[in-house]
Amino acid sequence: MSGPAVTGTARAQVPARLLDLSLGGALLDLATALEVGAVHDFSLQLDGETLWVQGEVRRCRQVRPDGYEVGVQFIGIHPQDERRLRAYVDHRRH
């Protein structure tokens, strides 16, 4: 006998290297492909602080046999985290 079907969203932590960052999004180096159009929560480690953003995958291309460049557009961020992100990006420009 089989039990009831279970549906839901699996959340996994995937190590990522930050290649580029702006107020509007990020370019990530991942070992896993992400589907274009998918929305994910991302944690950004900036100067020892963790910022959480919600991002939509805008592009994903394989750059190595085990690596993908993933472009993410930020679509949701807490105002406090947005201020921290703005300060970080502004500081990196100067």
Side-chain angles (χ1 to χ4, degrees):
M1 299 182 77
S2 63
V6 177
T7 60
T9 302
R11 293 179 63 127
Q13 288 196 347
V14 178
R17 190 164 59 92
L18 195 58
L19 300 176
D20 194 18
L21 179 66
S22 71
L23 290 176
L27 183 62
L28 307 172
D29 179 39
L30 298 176
T32 304
L34 297 180
E35 184 180 342
V36 172
V39 174
H40 297 278
D41 292 323
F42 296 90
S43 67
L44 305 174
Q45 303 293 321
L46 305 179
D47 290 340
E49 292 188 86
T50 301
L51 279 63
W52 285 93
V53 298
Q54 188 174 62
E56 180 180 344
V57 178
R58 303 298 291 180
R59 66 184 172 99
C60 180
R61 70 182 183 105
Q62 191 166 7
V63 292
R64 302 182 306 281
D66 63 344
Y68 298 83
E69 247 181 37
V70 179
V72 175
Q73 179 181 1
F74 298 153
I75 58 174
I77 183 170
H78 188 279
Q80 182 178 344
D81 284 346
E82 186 174 13
R83 283 192 294 276
R84 286 195 221 143
L85 176 59
R86 184 179 302 278
Y88 180 84
V89 169
D90 286 347
H91 177 74
R92 301 259 312 179
R93 282 195 193 132
H94 298 109

